[in-house]
Amino acid sequence: VQLQASGGGLVQSGGSLRLSCAASGNIFSLNAWGWYRQIPGAQRDMVASITSNGRTDYADSVKGRFTISRDNYRNTWYLQMNDLKPEDTAVYYCTADWPLGVGVSDRYWGQGTLVTVSS
């Protein structure tokens, strides 16, 4: 499974960006997709996730501003980011989970795309 993230860039505070992640390879068993972000010196934190039945989850810091969605036919998922704030500046990574058993998955990571929000 290969993941290719895109859509990062520089935006002013209050602006919007949409990140995309395209999956290729043996993707038919993937059952969850998401986005994480990381700033230098910190751990990667979950931003948003979506499951195969459409259930979404968001970090408290982005609720009401970010929306995760998925296009099944294009094997692509998105992170629409609105009302961006300087504290959203980070490298964003897309993820996809391959279920191995009950409650256990193998997680694939994209290469990361930088989002910079200027004040």
Side-chain angles (χ1 to χ4, degrees), residues 3-116:
L3 308 183
Q4 181 69 44
S6 61
L10 174 64
V11 64
Q12 289 188 335
S13 182
S16 298
L17 280 176
R18 189 177 79 157
L19 305 182
S20 300
C21 188
S24 60
N26 189 4
I27 62 174
F28 297 105
S29 293
L30 297 175
N31 69 348
W33 301 262
W35 292 93
Y36 279 66
R37 66 187 180 186
Q38 186 175 29
I39 60 174
Q43 65 180 20
R44 289 183 188 182
D45 293 324
M46 192 278 288
V47 177
S49 65
I50 185 168
T51 64
S52 57
N53 61 8
R55 188 183 72 185
T56 58
D57 191 20
Y58 296 93
D60 288 343
S61 59
V62 307
K63 284 180 180 177
R65 301 188 297 122
F66 291 11
T67 302
I68 188 171
S69 61
R70 187 168 68 97
D71 185 331
N72 293 343
Y73 297 104
R74 292 183 171 83
N75 299 315
T76 301
W77 55 108
Y78 307 94
L79 185 67
Q80 178 66 44
M81 305 185 293
N82 298 330
D83 189 24
L84 282 160
K85 304 176 180 181
E87 51 264 41
D88 295 318
T89 295
V91 176
Y92 284 71
Y93 297 88
C94 58
T95 65
D97 291 351
W98 182 290
L100 300 176
V102 177
V104 180
S105 297
D106 199 6
R107 175 158 291 170
Y108 294 89
W109 294 84
Q111 85 284 10
T113 184
L114 176 62
V115 172
T116 304

